[in-house]
Amino acid sequence: MVKTKKNSQLIERIIRYILAFAVLWILGSFIYSSIVGLMTKTMTIGQAIIETVYSPYGIMIYDNYCIKAPLSGEGEAITPENTRVRKNEAVFRVTATSGTAMQSQTSKTMYAPVSGVVSYQIDGYENISSPEEILALDLATIYETERKTSDEKILAKEGINYAKIINNLDDIFFYIDCEKTSHTETFAVNERYRIRFPEIAYSTLCRVIEIYPYQKSNGNEIEERLLVHVDMGTAAQDIFKHRVWQVELPYNVANVIEIPKEAVVYHENEAGVYELDKGFAYWRSITISLEKENTVVVEDLPEGTEIVTTPKFVQEGEFVKAR
């Protein structure tokens, strides 16, 4: 009788251990599945744009009206840089700091002769206009110099240009100094091409007015180049912050299917992805046409296909909740 009771208690203890283990197993499995589920990511494939970009330098030419300092002294901007003013609005004031001007007139305010955008960047290229003058410039050096910030206050000198008013409502012209390549050779007069200004996230279609072929000595070699004169029409006001820009000329633009490189799963050296079909993940092969740093371009995944982008957390045939 005692032996039977001990056996019964042992069986109960074993059952409790089994039940506790089962509960812990189920709880652990649930937690693991929840964590894996949170870490599993999916995406619906859409088309991306892939392109080749050429980045030459160019210089802007525009109508501007210079305002000379009426006397020597300390200049003070009344209208801030890159702000539009109306005709006869106050632009800047000069206060004399030395000389006879202090005795007769200590300060004088100058007004806008026309409407436009105010600039205090007197770069010396206000009257430049011919291709020959532009070809004599080192645009890359001008570009770097313009972007060096300086806190030094510029003193006004009597009779010297201190500010200018840019006619931003008239056509703005841009000269692009290009290498002669299979792409730039396709440029044609009166055709329109997209030019991007990545520093200010701005792009516009420009019409080619004229193309000037020229040669540039590069050591012992002669380099064939093109100076492309384009009409930008009117332009965003931020473009007047600098005279010289490094622009982007995109070409070979195509719509492609591009997916993260980490989404690719190799089976027996064959590339593929886990595609979701009614929520279940199934491996399917893909053809990679271009491999980039973090993505790949594929040829045989239709737009709208849903794939797993974290395949290391997924097994073939497993149900995956789209995230």
Side-chain angles (χ1 to χ4, degrees):
M1 188 74 174
V2 174
K3 187 176 181 179
T4 302
K5 186 176 181 181
K6 287 183 177 180
N7 288 339
S8 177
Q9 291 174 341
L10 178 61
I11 291 171
E12 288 179 4
R13 194 177 298 118
I14 292 173
I15 291 173
R16 283 198 299 270
Y17 288 153
I18 291 174
L19 289 174
F21 179 77
V23 169
L24 289 174
W25 177 270
I26 292 170
L27 182 60
S29 298
F30 174 77
I31 293 172
Y32 175 78
S33 298
S34 298
I35 293 172
V36 170
L38 290 172
M39 297 177 70
T40 302
K41 306 297 181 184
T42 64
M43 69 174 290
T44 301
I45 293 175
Q47 287 193 340
I49 296 176
I50 189 170
E51 62 188 11
T52 306
V53 175
Y54 174 50
S55 301
Y57 293 98
I59 184 169
M60 282 198 308
I61 304 296
Y62 42 69
D63 285 338
N64 52 228
Y65 302 84
C66 292
I67 308 175
K68 300 180 188 299
L71 47 88
S72 295
E74 188 174 301
E76 177 190 356
I78 297 173
T79 299
E81 174 80 21
N82 207 39
T83 302
R84 184 168 173 78
V85 293
R86 292 189 293 269
K87 183 178 179 179
N88 296 326
E89 276 192 298
V91 178
F92 66 93
R93 179 186 301 109
V94 178
T95 301
T97 54
S98 63
T100 56
M102 286 192 68
Q103 301 169 8
S104 59
Q105 189 173 24
T106 57
S107 69
K108 188 171 183 179
T109 300
M110 300 303 291
Y111 299 87
V114 293
S115 298
V117 175
V118 173
S119 173
Y120 298 97
Q121 310 300 321
I122 304 299
D123 50 29
Y125 308 119
E126 281 73 29
N127 296 317
I128 197 170
S129 60
S130 72
E132 292 76 20
E133 291 174 298
I134 292 168
L135 288 175
L137 303 176
D138 184 343
L139 298 186
T141 300
I142 297 171
Y143 172 87
E144 295 296 336
T145 302
E146 285 185 340
R147 280 148 185 83
K148 290 179 181 176
T149 57
S150 175
D151 295 329
E152 184 181 348
K153 201 159 190 177
I154 300 174
L155 292 177
K157 294 182 180 180
E158 184 178 356
I160 302 299
N161 293 334
Y162 186 81
K164 61 189 174 187
I165 308 298
I166 300 169
N167 184 0
N168 66 319
L169 298 182
D170 202 355
D171 283 6
I172 309 300
F173 300 100
F174 198 61
Y175 284 84
I176 312 169
D177 188 12
C178 302
E179 296 176 4
K180 189 176 182 180
T181 66
S182 57
H183 168 56
T184 59
E185 279 187 313
T186 64
F187 290 164
V189 173
N190 288 326
E191 291 295 320
R192 293 183 179 273
Y193 302 92
R194 182 159 297 281
I195 298 178
R196 293 200 298 245
F197 295 76
E199 289 178 72
I200 55 174
Y202 175 69
S203 73
T204 183
L205 283 173
C206 300
R207 180 177 63 88
V208 175
I209 298 174
E210 200 161 356
I211 301 171
Y212 305 94
Y214 76 98
Q215 293 181 330
K216 181 179 180 180
S217 177
N218 188 6
N220 296 325
E221 298 181 356
I222 299 297
E223 184 181 359
E224 299 289 336
R225 300 186 67 85
L226 302 172
L227 184 65
V228 184
H229 182 195
V230 302
D231 184 350
M232 297 175 60
T234 55
Q237 198 161 303
D238 279 351
I239 212 163
F240 301 114
K241 290 180 178 178
H242 300 292
R243 173 78 70 171
V244 175
W245 296 86
Q246 186 171 24
V247 297
E248 291 181 346
L249 306 178
Y251 63 102
N252 291 341
V253 180
N255 290 320
V256 298
I257 299 297
E258 191 172 6
I259 64 173
K261 189 178 287 186
E262 62 184 11
V264 180
V265 182
Y266 287 89
H267 283 178
E268 298 180 355
N269 294 323
E270 185 178 5
V273 294
Y274 281 124
E275 177 186 1
L276 294 185
D277 182 8
K278 297 179 180 177
F280 292 92
Y282 298 103
W283 184 86
R284 65 171 287 176
S285 65
I286 57 173
T287 302
I288 298 175
S289 59
L290 177 65
E291 187 169 334
K292 300 168 75 175
E293 184 177 357
N294 299 311
T295 61
V296 293
V297 175
V298 298
E299 297 179 354
D300 38 16
L301 278 178
E303 187 175 5
T305 302
E306 195 165 27
I307 64 169
V308 177
T309 57
T310 51
K312 61 185 177 181
F313 298 119
V314 174
Q315 299 292 327
E316 177 83 16
E318 183 179 345
F319 181 80
V320 176
K321 187 176 180 179
R323 294 184 183 277

